Amino acid sequence: MAKPGPVMKWTQYLAARSAAAALTCFDVDWNLQTAGLIGSFAHRMDQRRAERSRANIRRSFPEWSEQRVDATAKASMQHLIRFVIETLHTPRLIHENTWPGRIETGQLGEAIAALNSDRPVILVTGHMGNFELLGYALATMGYPVDALARPLDNPLVYDWLLGIRERKGMRVITKWDATDQMVSVLQRGGALAFIADQNAGEKHLFVPFMGRLASAYKSIALLAQRYEATVVCGYAMRKGDRFDYEIGTTDVIHPEDWAELRDPLYYITARYARALELAVRRCPEQYWWMHRRWKSRPKHERLGKEMPRVLRRNLQELPWMTESLMRELEKPVERVR
C-alpha cells in the first residue's frame, strides 16, 4: 500500500486533531456511551471483521452459545472504539493526584518489587483492555517504561500521539533498528514493555494460546535469558462502561524459574502466553478478537504430519499441561480469513 503524500498527511493530521479537540470537550463517560453506539454500528457494517471475531471467539470458547459469541464480538468492537476515546482523554484525567480515583490496583505487589529492584524487567501485555493506559499509569506512578511500538505511516499523526504517550515519562522505541535501545534499557536495569500477542509468522515458536497453538516471537525470552530479566505479565481492564480501570498482573516470571529447565526459551514464551490468556479469559469482551492471531500454522500442520517429538516434549513438560489440552493442541486449525 502506497504511503500518503504531503497533502494527505496534513489532511489526516488536521482531521485527527479536530476530532480529538471536539471529543475532549465533552465528559469522557458520555463519550464512551457514544463510542459504544458507534462500535455497534461498525460491528453490523464490517461483516468481514465481525465474522473473523466470531470465528476466533467460537474456537476459544467452544462451550459458548452462538448468542454469547456474537455478543462478545460486538462488545469487542465497542471496546476498540472506546479505547480510542480513552487514549485522547488519558492525559487530562490521569495525573499524580487523580489516578487513584480512576484506577484500582490489583495484584501488583510482586511487580512493584521487581520494578523497585536493580534487576531489569520486561513488561508483557496484549491487545486487551487499555494497554496504552497501563504504560501511562505506571509512568505516572513513578515507574518510567520504554515500550516497543511500530511507527505510523503518517509522521505528523505519529509525533502527536507520541507526545501523548510520553507526557508522563513513558518512552517509545520504534520497532525498526530498536535492538541497541532495548539492550541499553535492560543493561541499566530499566523496564522494557512489549505487546506480545501478535502473530509472529511461521518461523517462530508455537505455544498454546486459548486452546490452540499460536505463533509467538522468541525475542522476549531471549532478552530475559541474556539479561536475567524478570518478566511481568500485566493488564489494564475497564470496569463497566465508565473510565474506571483495574491494573494488575496474571504472572511474574523470575530467572530462577527457568534456570534448570531443558528448554527455557520455549518455557518462558509459553508461560507469558498463558498469562496473557488468563487476562483474556477474565474479560473476553475487551480483547481484540478481529486480529488474525492464529493465521500462521506450524510446519507439521501445513504438511499434514504428526506433531514433532521435540514440540510434543516441550508441551508435555509445561507444568499446567493437561491431557485434554494436549488433545486440543494436536488438532489442526483451519485458517481464519
Side-chain angles (χ1 to χ4, degrees), residues 6-264:
V7 174
M8 180 57 69
K9 288 177 182 177
W10 275 100
T11 301
Q12 292 173 343
Y13 171 71
L14 293 173
R17 291 301 301 265
S18 299
L23 287 169
T24 52
C25 287
F26 298 95
D27 178 74
V28 62
D29 294 325
W30 186 89
N31 278 339
L32 290 178
Q33 294 294 328
T34 304
L37 297 175
I38 296 172
S40 298
F41 178 75
H43 177 70
R44 290 196 302 271
M45 296 303 295
D46 192 345
Q47 283 299 306
R48 182 171 63 89
R49 285 185 173 83
E51 182 50 42
R52 183 187 301 157
S53 295
R54 284 191 289 265
N56 284 332
I57 296 167
R58 196 179 292 122
R59 289 170 179 172
S60 299
F61 300 95
E63 71 280 9
W64 282 11
S65 67
E66 196 61 27
Q67 182 179 10
R68 187 174 181 183
V69 167
D70 188 63
T72 303
K74 176 182 175 181
S76 174
M77 180 60 76
Q78 291 173 323
H79 167 70
L80 178 59
I81 306 300
R82 287 174 174 143
F83 167 85
V84 176
I85 299 297
E86 289 172 336
T87 300
L88 298 175
H89 278 277
T90 294
R92 183 172 62 86
L93 296 176
I94 303 300
H95 300 280
E96 287 81 358
N97 298 323
T98 61
W99 71 261
R102 293 284 185 177
I103 298 174
E104 176 184 320
T105 56
Q107 298 180 7
L108 280 181
E110 198 173 356
I112 295 301
L115 291 168
N116 283 332
S117 72
D118 295 330
R119 176 179 286 177
V121 176
I122 295 177
L123 301 168
V124 176
T125 191
H127 288 89
M128 64 192 78
N130 192 324
F131 47 88
E132 294 283 357
L133 175 66
L134 180 59
Y136 195 93
L138 287 174
T140 301
M141 295 174 189
Y143 297 102
V145 174
D146 290 82
L148 194 69
R150 180 188 181 279
L152 301 177
D153 291 335
N154 188 323
L156 298 172
V157 176
Y158 176 73
D159 288 344
W160 167 52
L161 294 177
L162 186 65
I164 295 176
R165 286 172 160 177
E166 296 187 333
R167 193 164 300 178
K168 289 297 178 181
M170 183 175 73
R171 297 175 292 267
V172 176
I173 301 173
T174 57
K175 281 189 175 181
W176 319 128
D177 300 322
T179 302
D180 291 343
Q181 295 182 64
M182 291 191 296
V183 168
S184 176
V185 171
L186 296 176
Q187 284 180 334
R188 68 171 184 264
L192 181 63
F194 292 85
I195 299 176
D197 63 337
Q198 299 99 323
N199 176 59
E202 295 174 350
K203 295 183 179 180
H204 286 266
L205 296 177
F206 282 86
V207 297
F209 183 70
M210 304 301 296
R212 289 165 284 170
L213 290 174
S215 174
Y217 289 105
K218 306 173 185 176
S219 54
I220 293 173
L222 288 170
L223 288 169
Q225 286 182 265
R226 180 175 179 182
Y227 297 100
E228 295 189 331
T230 301
V231 181
V232 175
C233 308
Y235 63 87
M237 294 293 184
R238 187 189 308 105
K239 302 189 300 179
D241 294 333
R242 299 170 57 84
F243 191 92
D244 293 316
Y245 266 81
E246 175 190 332
I247 65 173
T249 60
T250 49
D251 198 3
V252 178
I253 313 170
H254 299 282
E256 51 267 30
D257 294 341
W258 69 74
E260 304 298 327
L261 297 181
R262 175 160 40 184
D263 193 339

